Amino acid sequence: MKIAVLVKQVVGSESSLEISPDNKWIEYSSATFVMNPPDSYAIEEAMSIKETVGEGEVVIVTMGSDSVQKVIREGLSKGADRGIHIQTDGKTNIDPLNTAKNIASALDEENFDLVLSGLQSDDTGMGQTGVLVGELLNMSTATLAIETNIDKEKIRVKRELESGWFQWVTLESPASISIQSGINQPRYPSLKGIMGAKKKEIKVIPVSEHETKQQVENIAVPQKSKETEIINTDVDSSVKRIVEILKSEVKVF
Amino acid sequence: MKSLIIIEHKNGVLHRMSREAISGAQKIGGDITALVIGEKAELISSELSNFQIEKTFMVNHELVPSYNADGYKEIIKQVIESVSPNVIITGHTYQARDFMPRISASLDIPFIPDVIEVEDNIYIKQVLNSKLNASISSSEEQVLVSFQSASFSEEDIVKGSSSSEFFEASLDASSIKSKSDEPFQESASEVDLESAELIVSVGRGIEKEENKSIAFELAEVIGAEVSASRPVVDAGWLPSSRQVGSSGSTVSPKLYLSLGVSGAIQHVVGMKGSKNILAINKDPGAPIFEIADYAVVGDLLEIVPKLITALKDS
């Protein structure tokens, strides 16, 4: 079974966020980067499907400047077999259709059985690239998978719905599936894995031009919309004030 | 300006976020068409007839009695081609995240998701772990947009009257590639958070499972339901039926009293519409305080037992 995992390098949650002079994004020179956390669940799921099936290949696919090869290596060190890097100038791309068209053309000839992706990225939060790629490649798609039951004969996915509801869906192969965070316990790379990753192949494909259909006009710190009363005092005074709020202001009784 | 709202419903009940989407579409202005798909389409459209919208299309096709992504994609594509809307709107629900990207790729229309505000064709969305807001534009004739929960208020819906008619979608069985089983719940729901007036919510800050008893005791004293954030549910301390947030319930009670909830965006989208938010947290920098009306900085394990006693005494 041939599995592609779409991953992304994103600004880390602890990174400094300095707005760039054109007010359209942030300065990458002062930012720190990590693998998009939801993507590690997709890698783990791909590895465990390959292990269950007993044969196949896991390919880590990403797009960005040369620095994104770091997240491919991270995937390879966890046991993935090779990488595909769609190389760009590193400018922020907030157009998922554009991204998906590039990924789809990189994957097209490879005939993957499965494409897995994380729920959404922590930077742009578009949450659609995996489905877009699936649709562009005429695959079946499913989102928010919280359990998978996949072998050579069938693709069954338990989807998370809202308010504690779930649904099993049976998909035709090939399929693109977005993975809900928390589906598994992502493994850590072993020392042997880290050493081995250095020798694995990363194929570099130059980005191709597609029309840009959405762009950032401006980026800003959100305005706080409500006034907050801060109660930061000793326990007894806090309790007294909370009782007052509940009785006279919120009127819970 | 023409907009098309894809309505979401379950068991004959209109999704709250579809009402919010109508409210948002009315704010954008222009002609509004609503689309209801499924065997309950007529029932839902009668509810929509009280709103100020142009008309409602109903599609009741035997291949799509309830939600499935393949059927929705085909039907919505045909309606878009017939109505030619400038903007196609849904709530940013789990269902919308499933079918909207497929329409986007299939019709080559950009999808701007999780929008919190709209002004003059500029769509504002949170980015970079929700720390910054990006204003996004598109030069395309048509865009797909989903609204974040509680970005528009259903109370602002302009009432009026609207007509409804059936739309004949042509579908054949070969277009339904995936087979969806009946939705189910893991544990029978013991609570109805969405209609609760008062909620006491438990976050990771309660530290240990046994400490959840003080949350239940506080809830009992004020007559509230108990909810939880995802880490508490993932730890198995409370069932998923009590979870609030993007993967749980969306609530807007009179009081949301949170205990040790940090306020990750996935939680906040499920409760930011609450009328009063009182948050107790040790960390003065907890993101929950950004949206709280009352930010109590302190150790909940000390404050809550004394609060229970004080409330009982008063």
Side-chain angles (χ1 to χ4, degrees):
Chain A
M1 184 163 294
K2 216 170 146 182
I3 309 171
V5 187
L6 312 184
V7 305
K8 187 178 188 184
Q9 189 179 52
V10 298
V11 172
S13 59
E14 309 293 318
S15 172
S16 81
L17 298 177
E18 188 188 331
I19 293 176
S20 52
D22 66 0
N23 275 319
K24 287 184 193 281
W25 201 244
I26 57 155
E27 282 295 316
Y28 277 169
S29 55
S30 59
T32 52
F33 294 89
V34 297
M35 180 190 285
N36 181 46
D39 299 348
S40 60
Y41 297 102
I43 293 177
E44 180 60 40
E45 202 62 19
M47 294 305 302
S48 77
I49 292 167
K50 179 186 159 182
E51 285 156 12
T52 308
V53 174
E55 54 87 27
E57 191 185 28
V58 173
V59 182
I60 307 289
V61 183
T62 195
M63 184 164 154
S65 67
D66 287 341
S67 81
V68 304
Q69 290 204 2
K70 197 162 170 246
V71 299
I72 298 183
R73 293 282 172 212
E74 193 177 330
L76 298 179
S77 69
K78 291 179 175 187
D81 299 283
R82 60 186 170 95
I84 296 175
H85 170 206
I86 302 161
Q87 193 179 36
T88 75
D89 61 5
K91 231 182 117 210
T92 301
N93 179 2
I94 197 149
D95 185 342
L97 261 179
N98 188 311
T99 305
K101 285 172 188 170
N102 268 292
I103 296 173
S105 57
L107 301 189
D108 196 13
E109 287 177 8
E110 297 237 15
N111 293 318
F112 283 97
D113 300 297
L114 277 183
V115 174
L116 301 188
S117 51
L119 177 67
Q120 61 184 36
S121 62
D122 278 1
D123 54 357
T124 60
M126 290 289 173
Q128 53 188 279
T129 306
V131 182
L132 296 176
V133 169
E135 181 70 22
L136 290 171
L137 293 176
N138 207 17
M139 297 172 130
S140 351
T141 65
T143 53
L144 293 150
I146 195 67
E147 194 178 333
T148 66
N149 182 354
I150 295 174
D151 55 36
K152 283 176 190 157
E153 272 74 48
K154 64 171 188 310
I155 303 175
R156 294 260 297 155
V157 169
K158 182 178 164 189
R159 296 188 56 234
E160 187 171 314
L161 311 178
E162 289 167 351
S163 308
W165 287 78
F166 300 89
Q167 179 175 42
W168 280 96
V169 179
T170 310
L171 301 172
E172 278 181 16
S173 177
S176 177
I177 300 165
S178 86
I179 302 294
Q180 171 70 301
S181 298
I183 184 175
N184 52 36
Q185 286 283 351
R187 69 191 68 186
Y188 292 101
S190 63
L191 188 61
K192 190 168 161 249
I194 294 167
M195 299 309 289
K198 293 179 182 152
K199 296 190 210 87
K200 290 175 180 169
E201 179 210 358
I202 297 179
K203 181 171 152 197
V204 179
I205 300 173
V207 72
S208 46
E209 284 300 315
H210 291 282
E211 190 191 350
T212 299
K213 290 178 182 280
Q214 50 177 296
Q215 57 269 318
V216 176
E217 294 296 327
N218 178 54
I219 192 165
V221 177
Q223 297 286 318
K224 209 165 174 251
S225 56
K226 58 164 87 171
E227 295 225 341
T228 303
E229 177 186 333
I230 295 166
I231 301 155
N232 190 356
T233 172
D234 60 278
V235 172
D236 289 330
S237 310
S238 293
V239 168
K240 200 170 154 230
R241 178 68 190 122
I242 298 170
V243 172
E244 203 173 271
I245 291 163
L246 295 182
K247 287 173 80 173
S248 340
E249 294 175 33
V250 182
K251 300 192 172 75
V252 302
F253 296 112
Chain B
M1 183 63 147
K2 274 199 221 172
S3 58
L4 173 69
I5 305 175
I6 320 292
I7 298 294
E8 185 167 334
H9 56 98
K10 194 172 83 185
N11 302 328
V13 180
L14 180 60
H15 199 295
R16 178 186 49 82
M17 283 166 72
S18 290
R19 275 194 223 107
E20 294 174 2
I22 293 169
S23 177
Q26 288 178 333
K27 199 180 159 217
I28 294 171
D31 285 353
I32 301 169
T33 305
L35 170 63
V36 193
I37 303 169
E39 59 189 5
K40 298 275 169 58
E42 263 184 291
L43 178 68
I44 298 295
S45 74
S46 67
E47 197 175 339
L48 299 179
S49 65
N50 304 317
F51 300 144
Q52 183 68 52
I53 51 181
E54 196 71 14
K55 80 173 143 205
T56 300
F57 277 134
M58 302 173 286
V59 176
N60 184 0
H61 196 285
E62 56 179 2
L63 292 171
V64 194
S66 59
Y67 177 75
N68 84 62
D70 298 324
Y72 263 53
K73 183 191 87 175
E74 288 305 322
I75 291 167
I76 294 166
K77 269 172 68 174
Q78 290 172 28
V79 174
I80 290 174
E81 275 153 15
S82 154
V83 176
S84 299
N86 305 97
V87 49
I88 298 103
I89 300 171
T90 63
H92 191 62
T93 59
Y94 273 19
Q95 190 174 99
R97 298 188 209 192
D98 197 51
F99 71 79
M100 289 286 264
R102 297 195 59 184
I103 295 163
S104 170
S106 168
L107 294 178
D108 205 26
I109 303 175
F111 172 33
I112 310 174
D114 213 7
V115 166
I116 57 170
E117 221 177 305
V118 184
E119 212 152 311
D120 299 332
N121 297 317
I122 296 282
Y123 299 91
I124 299 179
K125 154 178 214 319
Q126 296 169 307
V127 293
L128 295 156
N129 285 304
S130 310
K131 288 176 185 150
L132 295 171
N133 284 350
S135 301
I136 297 176
S137 69
S138 174
S139 47
E140 298 295 296
E141 294 280 304
Q142 295 184 306
V143 286
L144 298 151
V145 174
S146 65
F147 292 145
Q148 188 175 94
S149 174
S151 297
F152 297 94
S153 170
E154 55 180 293
E155 284 158 22
D156 297 338
I157 291 183
V158 183
K159 294 280 168 59
S161 66
S162 74
S163 62
S164 59
E165 59 188 78
F166 280 103
F167 179 95
E168 291 305 323
S170 70
L171 235 74
D172 66 71
S174 67
S175 60
I176 313 289
K177 287 202 239 167
S178 47
K179 189 184 146 291
S180 303
D181 298 357
E182 279 298 306
F184 65 95
Q185 280 177 301
E186 302 255 272
S187 52
S189 183
E190 51 196 283
V191 283
D192 181 8
L193 293 176
E194 300 191 4
S195 53
E197 275 276 283
L198 309 171
I199 290 177
V200 171
S201 194
V202 181
R204 218 179 339 205
I206 68 156
E207 293 171 11
K208 287 187 207 135
E209 183 173 7
E210 56 259 40
N211 292 336
K212 72 185 183 191
S213 61
I214 59 170
F216 279 93
E217 208 180 324
L218 175 62
E220 202 190 324
V221 174
I222 61 174
E225 283 291 0
V226 174
S227 74
S229 66
R230 180 151 195 149
V232 169
V233 173
D234 283 348
W237 297 351
L238 285 169
S240 62
S241 56
R242 292 194 182 268
Q243 187 179 322
V244 164
S246 53
S247 49
S249 298
T250 302
V251 299
S252 47
K254 188 163 92 173
L255 171 70
Y256 193 85
L257 198 167
S258 73
L259 307 176
V261 173
S262 66
I265 182 67
Q266 293 81 357
H267 185 75
V268 166
V269 294
M271 48 64 75
K272 67 176 183 179
S274 305
K275 316 288 180 293
N276 293 284
I277 298 169
L278 190 156
I280 305 180
N281 203 300
K282 264 199 283 208
D283 173 12
I288 190 89
F289 288 154
E290 289 292 310
I291 55 150
D293 301 277
Y294 307 98
V296 182
V297 184
D299 185 351
L300 71 95
L301 299 176
E302 290 179 32
I303 293 171
V304 177
K306 288 195 171 184
L307 178 61
I308 292 166
T309 312
L311 287 167
K312 278 182 178 164
D313 290 347
S314 63

